[in-house]
Amino acid sequence: MKAIDMKRDKFVLVFGAVCWVLLGVQIAAFNVICPINDFSIFGNFLLGLSESILLLSPYLVISRKWRWTIVFPMVIIPLFLYANALYLRWFPDLMTFDLIAGGASNATGTVADGALSCVKGADAWIIVPLLLFIVFYAWGMRKISSPGFSLKFKLWSVIGVCMVFFIQQLALIQVFSNDYYKEGGNPRDPKKPADGFYYHRLKDNTRRQQLHYYGLLPYIGLQTYNLFKPKYIKLTPEENAAIEAFIAGNNNRQMLVDSLPDNSAKNLILVVVESMNSDALNVKANGRPIMPYLTSLIDREKDVIVMDSVLSQVGIGRSSDGRFIYQTGLLPITDNPIALKFLDHEYPSLSKALGRESVEFDGGDPIQWNKLELSKKYGFSQLRTRDEVIKNMKKLGGKDPAMFNNALPVIESLPQPFYVALNTMDMHDPYNEFGWKRSDVWQDTAFSESERIYIEKCRQFDAGLSQLIAGLKKANLYDNSVIVITGDHNARPNCLNGNRLVNTQIPLIILNSGIDLRSHAVIGQSDLYPTILDLMGAADYKWRGVGVSLFRNPAVMNPSDAKTESVSPYDYPSPEAWKVSDLLIRSASFGN
């Protein structure tokens, strides 16, 4: 009987060892294929084994009736890693836990399509060990409930696990210290402290770097803490003073034109184009403009404003962040999507500033990024969703042509002046297939396949825009409408696998503005909100945003003042603007 127990006890240990190796391989594979660090494959395997023993350590000390719970780390950790691997290929960072918590409602439509387009063969190093564990567990699950280990064994297991953790952290701290010196920092300098065990002050303090320098278990603990810590902060007197000083300075910027036309009685139509690069205006395919109608419209119309160097300032919320910037004049927070984290604000907005009937049209999933809630927060009286917006899209030639055609009857019925926002969808990545008739774009072999698909989608939007403008003119609404066309953000560079469409800036076109202005000056998405306030006669609205109106920006109005050096989207218009915006959002200073 004792021999049988010994045999079963050995199986329990072997089972644990196999799980340890399988999970270690998955963690190491994740670090390599992402990549999270620049360690060798062998170094990552050792790191993966240390992470694995820490994550599976409860298996060595818990009661035998609870040993089945090893299923949780063995299944959840690989799924967590693989979801982040797909996400990281699409975005420049790992997922926040807020995003994971709200992920069920967002992992549909274009998000799911994008994730599936990122699958690679190397992912088998994460998926296959998971499948092996499932088979192994199904075979041996009854055998792992043998009599529990002795107290002495458990004590030595705890000591051993603690030693592994201590050695791992010493090694990671050493790596951090070396990299910190490379960045010009000095952990021993009191003016530039390393600030403790689980913190660093490298230039980009991203979750990807946090995982690299902390290790997986501390990273999970830190992100879990961030998930449950109080959402709102209390501003200090110094922060309040800094915010007031910034707002006063921004509100008092001098108008650099003698006068602006009175557009207060005109309608405002804002077209936010999915993934629109400035290349759509400046590059030709097979000898023709990428967007033939829009470029011809710019050339032949009077009183057109064209800016082709707008910095995409969105964060990990991407499209939802772009709309947030335009509607509120605020900048996104850099560690979470606004749409998931801060829904209970009563934000100032264009709609509230204009004080008129306002309707939003959106061709995407209304559940994604909490669009229903945010549309109300922005002051829109209606949100027309995809069931209405993209109906008959196959007959009409795509989501965007369908949106514009289906929106026209609603727009015509609105009392003037109105405010309408149309959020397009056709140009969303991935750019791996095109379900419509191919055009002459495919004759231009200088473009990669993904670039040609992107151009086809651009032309699909362009065709829809021509139908919208034609409909507005037919309804006698065009001349009485200021029409703003801009991108929600740039096209994701890693989805355009070529060397022709490389401009990461987005365009801004304003029709019927009453002023003609064309400039290559670098501006930001945050500048559109105050520009519209000035243009629509709402300059006295209580909140002018953190950006700079085009008509108050010396770099735009006086080209000799324009900066020629590159500007980071996260430094424009100034680090103070980002800080003020962040504090206002995190402190609920607009009410909740």
Side-chain angles (χ1 to χ4, degrees):
M1 185 71 175
K2 188 174 181 179
I4 295 176
D5 289 343
M6 286 290 292
K7 185 177 180 180
R8 290 177 68 89
D9 284 348
K10 287 181 180 178
F11 179 83
V12 174
L13 289 174
V14 170
F15 184 91
V18 171
C19 290
W20 171 48
V21 173
L22 288 176
L23 188 57
V25 167
Q26 291 168 311
I27 295 171
F30 171 76
N31 287 338
V32 171
I33 65 179
C34 281
I36 295 299
N37 56 54
D38 54 1
F39 302 161
S40 66
I41 293 178
F42 180 71
N44 268 305
F45 181 63
L46 291 180
L47 178 62
L49 289 178
S50 70
E51 303 276 25
S52 178
I53 195 64
L54 294 173
L55 291 163
L56 299 182
S57 57
Y59 176 80
L60 300 174
V61 295
I62 59 177
S63 169
R64 61 178 179 169
K65 69 178 181 180
W66 292 105
R67 286 190 191 134
W68 64 271
T69 58
I70 196 173
V71 169
F72 291 110
M74 288 300 296
V75 173
I76 292 175
I77 295 298
L79 292 178
F80 167 76
L81 294 176
Y82 191 45
N84 268 288
L86 295 179
Y87 184 85
L88 188 58
R89 291 169 189 162
W90 224 24
F91 294 89
D93 203 359
L94 303 177
M95 287 190 287
T96 67
F97 276 29
D98 295 274
L99 188 59
I100 294 172
S105 63
N106 287 293
T108 58
T110 55
V111 174
D113 293 341
L116 292 174
S117 73
C118 294
V119 174
K120 296 182 178 180
D123 299 346
W125 286 98
I126 298 177
I127 300 301
V128 171
L130 175 59
L131 299 177
L132 290 176
F133 165 76
I134 293 173
V135 173
F136 188 46
Y137 179 78
W139 172 69
M141 60 181 176
R142 294 182 180 180
K143 298 181 182 180
I144 63 173
S145 60
S146 68
F149 300 121
S150 67
L151 181 61
K152 182 179 179 181
F153 176 86
K154 293 179 180 180
L155 179 62
W156 280 108
S157 296
V158 170
I159 293 172
V161 168
C162 288
M163 288 182 63
V164 170
F165 179 75
F166 182 71
I167 293 170
Q168 180 205 66
Q169 292 303 307
L170 284 179
L172 291 175
I173 288 173
Q174 182 62 41
V175 171
F176 156 64
S177 298
N178 290 339
D179 287 354
Y180 195 85
Y181 279 115
K182 292 176 186 177
E183 293 288 329
N186 185 348
R188 297 178 182 85
D189 183 348
K191 295 181 180 179
K192 300 180 81 172
D195 277 357
F197 205 49
Y198 296 135
Y199 188 75
H200 60 90
R201 288 180 181 267
L202 294 184
K203 185 176 181 181
D204 298 309
N205 188 9
T206 63
R207 281 175 295 280
R208 187 176 183 175
Q209 286 181 315
Q210 290 171 359
L211 177 58
H212 175 27
Y213 291 108
Y214 307 161
L216 185 57
L217 191 60
Y219 172 81
I220 291 173
L222 179 64
Q223 294 302 315
T224 302
Y225 167 74
N226 289 338
L227 183 62
F228 292 103
K229 73 178 183 181
K231 180 163 48 171
Y232 296 111
I233 62 174
K234 185 176 181 180
L235 296 177
T236 66
E238 293 78 13
E239 289 171 332
N240 273 313
I243 290 172
E244 290 175 6
F246 176 87
I247 291 175
N250 220 35
N251 288 352
N252 292 327
R253 289 180 182 272
Q254 180 183 359
M255 183 71 74
L256 300 178
V257 294
D258 294 334
S259 63
L260 287 174
D262 182 9
N263 294 311
S264 58
K266 283 188 175 182
N267 309 306
L268 173 62
I269 300 175
L270 172 61
V271 182
V272 181
V273 187
E274 175 64 47
S275 304
M276 187 183 189
N277 282 7
S278 288
D279 285 333
L281 301 183
N282 302 326
V283 176
K284 292 185 178 181
N286 199 34
R288 295 175 61 219
I290 288 177
M291 291 188 174
Y293 179 76
L294 180 57
T295 51
S296 67
L297 193 65
I298 291 170
D299 290 339
R300 71 170 184 260
E301 293 292 316
K302 297 179 180 180
D303 299 332
V304 179
I305 297 173
V306 182
M307 308 293 298
D308 61 1
S309 299
V310 183
L311 296 168
S312 178
Q313 296 177 295
V314 299
I316 58 177
R318 298 288 287 175
S319 296
S320 62
D321 281 353
R323 296 172 196 175
F324 174 78
I325 297 170
Y326 295 145
Q327 299 300 339
T328 69
L330 289 157
L331 288 160
I333 57 176
T334 56
D335 60 346
N336 266 296
I338 289 284
L340 296 182
K341 190 71 174 180
F342 294 101
L343 279 177
D344 47 358
H345 282 320
E346 291 300 329
Y347 291 105
S349 69
L350 286 176
S351 180
K352 295 171 186 176
L354 297 174
R356 56 182 66 175
E357 180 77 9
S358 56
V359 182
E360 187 175 23
F361 296 83
D362 192 284
D365 189 331
I367 298 177
Q368 283 182 346
W369 303 118
N370 295 311
K371 292 173 185 174
L372 296 172
E373 293 86 347
L374 276 176
S375 185
K376 293 177 182 177
K377 294 297 180 182
Y378 297 153
F380 287 103
S381 54
Q382 302 177 51
L383 172 63
R384 300 299 180 105
T385 60
R386 66 177 181 182
D387 289 343
E388 175 184 0
V389 165
I390 64 172
K391 64 182 180 182
N392 298 324
M393 72 169 187
K394 291 184 178 179
K395 179 181 177 181
L396 294 169
K399 293 179 181 178
D400 294 353
M403 168 185 284
F404 294 134
N405 278 276
N406 292 324
L408 276 167
V410 178
I411 294 173
E412 292 171 14
S413 69
L414 295 175
Q416 299 187 62
F418 55 74
Y419 168 35
V420 166
L422 301 113
N423 305 305
T424 75
M425 282 299 297
D426 266 334
M427 289 160 60
H428 203 293
D429 51 41
Y431 309 120
N432 53 9
E433 60 180 15
F434 183 68
W436 308 89
K437 183 179 179 180
R438 293 185 174 189
S439 72
D440 63 321
V441 171
W442 293 86
Q443 299 172 17
D444 194 330
T445 57
F447 292 94
S448 68
E449 181 176 355
S450 58
E451 287 177 323
R452 280 178 275 182
I453 292 172
Y454 176 72
I455 294 170
E456 291 279 27
K457 292 189 173 190
C458 287
R459 288 192 172 168
Q460 200 161 292
F461 158 77
D462 196 53
L465 180 66
S466 69
Q467 295 163 20
L468 173 68
I469 300 298
L472 292 173
K473 289 182 176 179
K474 184 178 180 180
N476 296 318
L477 290 173
Y478 180 79
D479 291 334
N480 195 42
S481 300
V482 174
I483 302 171
V484 180
I485 303 167
T486 189
D488 59 351
H489 51 71
N490 61 308
R492 227 183 302 264
N494 61 328
C495 294
L496 290 171
N497 300 315
N499 57 11
R500 294 288 302 278
L501 304 180
V502 295
N503 192 340
T504 59
Q505 295 172 331
I506 61 180
L508 167 63
I509 303 101
I510 304 179
L511 306 172
N512 290 338
S513 63
I515 187 170
D516 196 79
L517 174 64
R518 302 174 190 234
S519 172
H520 300 298
V522 174
I523 63 169
Q525 287 181 285
S526 55
D527 295 342
L528 180 57
Y529 175 91
T531 298
I532 291 178
L533 292 184
D534 281 346
L535 205 52
M536 300 303 296
D540 57 349
Y541 183 59
K542 61 182 179 179
W543 171 246
R544 285 196 54 83
V546 299
V548 183
S549 168
L550 297 183
F551 313 114
R552 303 170 191 259
N553 187 339
V556 175
M557 304 310 299
N558 303 311
S560 60
D561 292 338
K563 295 181 179 180
T564 56
E565 66 270 18
S566 60
V567 181
S568 166
Y570 304 110
D571 288 331
Y572 184 91
S574 67
E576 290 78 18
W578 282 87
K579 183 64 175 177
V580 165
S581 181
D582 188 83
L583 289 173
L584 288 172
I585 294 168
R586 294 184 190 277
S587 64
S589 294
F590 295 121
N592 54 37

